[in-house]
Amino acid sequence: MELKLLNAQGQPAGTAQVSDTLFARPYNEALVHQVVVAYQANARQATRAQKDRSQVHHSTRKPWRQKGTGRARAGMTSSPLWRHGGKIFPSSPEENFKQKVNRKMFRAAMATILSQLAREDRLAVIDDFRVEAPKTKLVAQKIKDMGLAGTRVLLVTDELDENLLLGSRNLKDVLVLAAHETDPVALVHFPKVLLTKGAVAKFEEMWQ
């Protein structure tokens, strides 16, 4: 399998040999959907809380007598059917949203996503991506020189360079990740994904 290799100006500068296992896998929509949903669910925090009928402020006095009023029977004002009553199935800080994803499934999903990105021409390889100082304008200029200004770009490197990380933080359309931090949601979300040669080697080491 060969991927397009770009130079500093974003022009084709040859091809990079990559693993068929990782970059030429048939697309499996159900698998990708399951892993993406699980990844998002596992990132959720149970920070919301609601009150059940025992926790709301209420009186245990019967609102009106049982018979003769023509209204429905009512025992107390904490009923979930009443305004300001308790919730039937309240959200709780102890709620657990975790979904288990087997390692084999995760690897297969990542390979499927990378393969589909390559087929859609949303994936490219670059030799390296570094800046001399932690300045936003340097990173923005390199992105512009590659013809990607205005495009949401995910840049994956083999290991994080501090200058690059600090210089990209104020760019809303650019996200820089190390290879071991790359997740399926980021790969699916960004229209353009740039991998350094070192990142490709890391991916092949981790997920083959």
Side-chain angles (χ1 to χ4, degrees):
M1 177 70 183
E2 293 182 344
L3 290 180
K4 185 166 58 177
L5 182 65
L6 301 182
N7 59 19
Q9 288 72 43
Q11 301 299 320
T15 57
Q17 291 288 338
V18 294
S19 167
D20 287 352
T21 306
L22 200 56
F23 292 94
R25 193 182 186 99
Y27 186 59
N28 186 335
E29 184 177 358
L31 174 63
V32 173
H33 179 269
Q34 183 177 350
V35 171
V36 167
V37 169
Y39 191 90
Q40 291 177 317
N42 293 340
R44 289 185 68 176
Q45 294 181 337
T47 55
R48 58 184 185 171
Q50 297 170 317
K51 294 180 180 180
D52 61 20
R53 65 181 300 165
S54 69
Q55 295 170 319
V56 295
H57 181 71
H58 68 282
S59 169
T60 57
R61 179 178 178 272
K62 193 172 177 65
W64 51 74
R65 58 196 174 98
Q66 181 83 346
K67 294 179 179 291
T69 65
R71 290 181 287 187
R73 294 173 292 185
M76 61 179 68
T77 56
S78 64
S79 168
L81 305 180
W82 279 50
R83 185 166 181 257
H84 302 307
K87 294 289 182 182
I88 298 177
F89 298 112
S91 299
S92 165
E94 285 75 40
E95 226 169 334
N96 183 10
F97 299 104
K98 296 293 183 186
Q99 295 185 23
K100 185 177 184 297
V101 177
N102 295 329
R103 187 179 302 174
K104 188 175 181 180
M105 285 177 56
F106 181 80
R107 288 179 175 178
M110 294 299 281
T112 299
I113 294 171
L114 290 172
S115 301
Q116 187 64 17
L117 290 176
R119 281 189 287 270
E120 294 176 357
D121 200 27
R122 292 167 53 192
L123 184 69
V125 180
I126 53 178
D127 279 322
D128 205 358
F129 197 107
R130 295 184 183 275
V131 289
E132 294 73 27
K135 293 185 179 294
T136 302
K137 66 180 180 181
L138 296 179
V139 180
Q141 187 61 48
K142 290 201 74 165
I143 294 293
K144 183 178 180 181
D145 291 343
M146 297 187 72
L148 298 174
T151 304
R152 287 180 289 120
V153 179
L154 173 63
L155 176 61
V156 184
T157 61
D158 53 339
E159 52 188 39
L160 284 181
D161 175 65
E162 188 173 1
N163 287 346
L164 181 58
L165 181 63
L166 295 176
S168 65
R169 288 191 303 181
N170 285 336
L171 296 174
K172 64 177 183 179
D173 292 332
V174 178
L175 176 63
V176 178
L177 293 176
H180 68 275
E181 296 175 333
T182 309
D183 60 83
V185 175
L187 289 175
V188 169
H189 176 72
F190 283 88
K192 194 69 176 180
V193 178
L194 298 178
L195 307 178
T196 64
K197 283 186 174 180
V200 172
K202 283 276 189 182
F203 282 170
E204 292 175 346
E205 179 185 336
M206 291 188 299
W207 296 329
Q208 275 202 104

